Amino acid sequence: MSSATSNTRAAALKVEGNAFFVKRDYHEAIAKYTDAIDIEPTAVLHANRAQCYLNLEMYMDASADGRRAVELDPEYSKGYVRFAMAEQKLGNLDKSIELWEMVLKTANRAQTADIEIALSKTRAEKEAQNDLPSLLSKVHIIPDEVLQQLPQNSVESIIPDLTNREEWFSSAFVVQLAEGEFQRAQHLMSLRKHDGEKVTGVYGAIEAFTNYYSEQAMIECQTHNAWFDEGPSDTKTAVMERLKGQSWDQVRPGLSLTIRCWIMKGWLMNSMETNPSAGLEYIQRAIDILEWGRVTFPSVPPETKGAVFRDTFTEPSGFSSCNVSCVSTWEPIAPIPDLEVFYEEVSEILKEITADIKKTRGERKLDTAGHILCFYDYHLAEAHALTGLYHTQLGHNLQLQGVAEEEYFAHYEKATIAYLYAAEAIPEDDEKHAWYLNASLANGSQCLVPVKFHIQTIKRMQRAIPKMEKIWKNSTLAAQGRDDTMKERMKPLEKLEEMLRDGNWTKDTMIRLE
């Protein structure tokens, strides 16, 4: 195909992509722009595709296209705009501010006012993120006198006794496992060195941390030619291209590291920063790549593809629950966009986890206790909790619609049961055990359940809390008001028992506590 013909074909594909964009058919528009880019990559095509990704809330892909647009044409202001918008959505505010400032240098006078507004908003977001009172309200500052009561320190005195009694069903072993991985990662990261602008060190810390972040990711991504700065779509394409001339053994380290870096970034943003939606983006895209890898390369042996593609890393009993656990709360405060799709996915995960447990969980003992809890029991609990979340949200929606009580009562009742199953799947000394019981009570208060349910569940919480406090007295959940919330939830016990003693109710009387 001649150069003129190629240019004509690329231009025609761009026009077709624009037509789909106007119709808001962004997936088709992306397909056309991609075909055009394959023929003749330009800044305009990458910027157009970036806008499609922005509209689809696929911010990692949008960022990759925005970056490519400004590389191809450093004077193209729309490239900087798309890049800046994507980086802002991903929580990379410093980078976004830098890009908005560069836009001002390339934009015409008519665009300046809008760009200055965008820049001002991003700066304000950054200032709010850095505001000390705001940070202190989100961060649990642990006094020196209670430092030894952190979970990782508390378990040191608990595990020997558990081991002597061969009681392997305890969250202490999970804390021990996590602390061991953290210490290994911390040691590996301490070996990095600076030589001017160059950072050198050893690799392996990212795996330890997921199985301080930016510098270590740089070291490891450079070592293995990973795709950390690319979006999922470009990463898939790049993997297929690299496999044409390299073996899986050569490609696997880069792909595995890319996935782990995205997971780590998502976890950091969801847990330690102020942008959980951006964290969810990284986690979801990591799962997209995991799913793609399993479907695209079914004949490649698991030991060749690597650990990240094994079942214990992906669904059912591995990392896939993280894409929904970011919204795993019993309160209907963050609506789930497509409840039925959500329920189908959770139901499938629950079914597969249950089958996986029967088939491969193995025997609990000292060297497997933490692993079994992490990769089987906790994910079973999470799946039940997410089932509860579905019914909570659906019950809440129906209640707002003013339907008959029995319709939304049925979903609150199912949520009540699901959270009980979640609690039973994990040890009593784990804080989530009592927390799931709390969630069960919360849903049970929204429908008709027997008096005995409230009494029995509150008493289960009362038994679990002292065990929980031995390990989890000081935790992130505790800092967020865990104890006050559960204390408030247990208040009705005295009144319930009084009503039983006075003969006003029997244990089987159906009541609704509001």
Side-chain angles (χ1 to χ4, degrees), residues 229-513:
D229 287 329
E230 299 295 334
S233 297
D234 286 346
T235 298
K236 293 173 187 177
T237 301
V239 168
M240 298 303 290
E241 284 298 314
R242 195 175 290 183
L243 282 171
K244 290 179 180 178
Q246 297 181 3
S247 67
W248 253 106
D249 286 340
Q250 293 171 301
V251 175
R252 181 185 63 248
L255 179 57
S256 174
L257 183 61
T258 299
I259 294 167
R260 292 179 188 277
C261 283
W262 289 351
I263 291 169
M264 192 73 250
K265 179 72 171 178
W267 178 81
L268 285 170
M269 299 194 78
N270 187 57
S271 302
M272 297 182 177
E273 299 182 18
T274 57
N275 199 332
S277 61
L280 185 58
E281 160 85 0
Y282 280 101
I283 290 171
Q284 287 176 324
R285 298 308 165 229
I287 294 169
D288 288 345
I289 295 291
L290 292 171
E291 295 286 350
W292 169 80
R294 297 177 73 186
V295 171
T296 307
F297 308 106
S299 61
V300 178
E303 61 271 17
T304 302
K305 284 191 289 188
V308 293
F309 289 104
R310 291 175 184 161
D311 287 343
T312 51
F313 198 93
T314 55
E315 69 176 12
S317 60
F319 196 77
S320 67
S321 65
C322 286
N323 70 321
V324 279
S325 66
C326 288
V327 293
S328 181
T329 171
W330 53 268
E331 295 180 287
I333 56 175
I336 301 166
D338 193 330
L339 271 175
E340 296 312 314
V341 171
F342 175 87
Y343 182 63
E344 287 177 11
E345 291 177 353
V346 171
S347 297
E348 186 64 23
I349 290 171
L350 179 58
K351 182 172 68 175
E352 293 186 17
I353 289 174
T354 303
D356 205 35
I357 285 174
K358 293 178 180 178
K359 183 172 60 176
T360 63
R361 182 168 64 183
E363 180 186 358
R364 296 182 198 273
K365 49 187 178 180
L366 180 60
D367 58 346
T368 63
H371 177 87
I372 289 173
L373 282 163
C374 284
F375 288 96
Y376 295 93
D377 302 317
Y378 278 43
H379 291 297
L380 177 62
E382 188 77 5
H384 282 304
L386 291 168
T387 302
L389 174 62
Y390 162 78
H391 288 293
T392 300
Q393 186 73 69
L394 189 53
H396 178 72
N397 292 349
L398 292 172
Q399 189 174 4
L400 291 178
Q401 292 169 18
V403 302
E405 283 187 345
E406 56 268 22
E407 289 188 47
Y408 63 82
F409 276 10
H411 288 286
Y412 283 127
E413 183 179 344
K414 289 177 180 178
T416 300
I417 295 169
Y419 280 113
L420 283 178
Y421 282 137
E424 290 167 0
I426 55 179
E428 269 191 320
D429 61 14
D430 191 288
E431 63 179 345
K432 283 292 188 74
H433 177 91
W435 191 246
Y436 287 147
L437 292 176
N438 178 75
S440 182
L441 283 167
N443 281 277
S445 298
Q446 295 295 321
C447 60
L448 291 172
V449 295
V451 171
K452 62 185 177 184
F453 160 76
H454 289 285
I455 293 176
Q456 291 171 356
T457 307
I458 291 173
K459 288 185 175 181
R460 287 180 65 182
M461 286 179 67
Q462 289 177 333
R463 290 194 301 271
I465 287 172
K467 299 176 183 179
M468 170 196 78
E469 289 181 337
K470 289 181 180 179
I471 300 174
W472 302 96
K473 184 175 181 63
N474 293 290
S475 70
T476 302
L477 190 57
Q480 295 170 349
R482 175 199 70 195
D483 297 339
D484 288 340
T485 300
M486 293 196 295
K487 184 178 180 180
E488 188 69 24
R489 190 69 61 195
M490 293 186 291
K491 276 185 177 179
L493 179 61
E494 185 177 343
K495 181 66 174 178
L496 291 168
E497 292 183 327
E498 179 185 332
M499 296 294 282
L500 282 179
R501 287 195 303 269
D502 293 346
N504 295 308
W505 291 336
T506 69
K507 290 183 178 181
D508 294 318
T509 300
M510 304 293 285
I511 62 168
R512 182 186 182 191
L513 291 178

Side-chain angles (χ1 to χ4, degrees), residues 177-191:
L177 181 66
E179 178 65 8
E181 291 296 324
F182 178 84
Q183 293 295 339
R184 186 164 75 90
Q186 191 175 49
H187 169 68
L188 291 171
M189 286 190 285
S190 72
L191 300 178

Side-chain angles (χ1 to χ4, degrees), residues 69-275:
V70 301
E71 289 172 350
L72 288 167
D73 186 355
E75 301 299 318
Y76 186 50
S77 61
K78 285 187 179 180
Y80 287 103
V81 169
R82 308 287 154 74
F83 196 5
M85 292 172 67
E87 288 298 296
Q88 183 177 7
K89 290 293 186 180
L90 289 170
N92 302 324
L93 300 181
D94 287 331
K95 182 65 177 179
S96 182
I97 290 169
E98 175 191 330
L99 290 165
W100 283 122
E101 291 172 343
M102 295 180 75
V103 175
L104 285 174
K105 298 176 182 178
T106 60
N108 58 47
R109 188 177 298 275
Q111 297 173 310
T112 300
D114 289 338
I115 293 166
E116 287 180 340
I117 291 172
L119 176 58
S120 178
K121 287 182 178 179
T122 309
R123 283 173 172 163
E125 187 177 344
K126 179 64 178 177
E127 288 171 7
Q129 191 179 81
N130 290 339
D131 181 63
L132 182 57
S134 174
L135 285 175
L136 289 177
S137 70
K138 295 177 174 65
V139 178
H140 181 42
I141 306 300
I142 302 174
D144 290 340
E145 60 268 22
V146 298
L147 186 61
Q148 291 305 311
Q149 294 178 330
L150 287 172
Q152 60 267 38
N153 295 322
S154 300
V155 300
E156 290 180 5
S157 60
I158 294 173
I159 286 180
D161 182 55
L162 291 170
T163 302
N164 289 335
R165 291 185 279 116
E166 297 187 355
E167 292 186 9
W168 311 123
F169 196 58
S170 169
S171 63
F173 294 106
V174 176
V175 176
Q176 182 189 50
L177 181 66
E179 178 65 8
E181 291 296 324
F182 178 84
Q183 293 295 339
R184 186 164 75 90
Q186 191 175 49
H187 169 68
L188 291 171
M189 286 190 285
S190 72
L191 300 178
R192 68 183 185 275
K193 297 177 181 179
H194 293 263
D195 181 11
E197 295 183 357
K198 185 179 180 182
V199 183
T200 61
V202 298
Y203 61 88
I206 294 294
E207 178 179 356
F209 216 79
T210 62
N211 163 181
Y212 154 88
Y213 175 73
S214 296
E215 288 184 349
Q216 188 64 38
M218 184 191 306
I219 294 166
E220 300 194 22
C221 288
Q222 289 172 349
T223 301
H224 294 299
N225 295 319
W227 296 276
F228 181 67
D229 287 329
E230 299 295 334
S233 297
D234 286 346
T235 298
K236 293 173 187 177
T237 301
V239 168
M240 298 303 290
E241 284 298 314
R242 195 175 290 183
L243 282 171
K244 290 179 180 178
Q246 297 181 3
S247 67
W248 253 106
D249 286 340
Q250 293 171 301
V251 175
R252 181 185 63 248
L255 179 57
S256 174
L257 183 61
T258 299
I259 294 167
R260 292 179 188 277
C261 283
W262 289 351
I263 291 169
M264 192 73 250
K265 179 72 171 178
W267 178 81
L268 285 170
M269 299 194 78
N270 187 57
S271 302
M272 297 182 177
E273 299 182 18
T274 57
N275 199 332

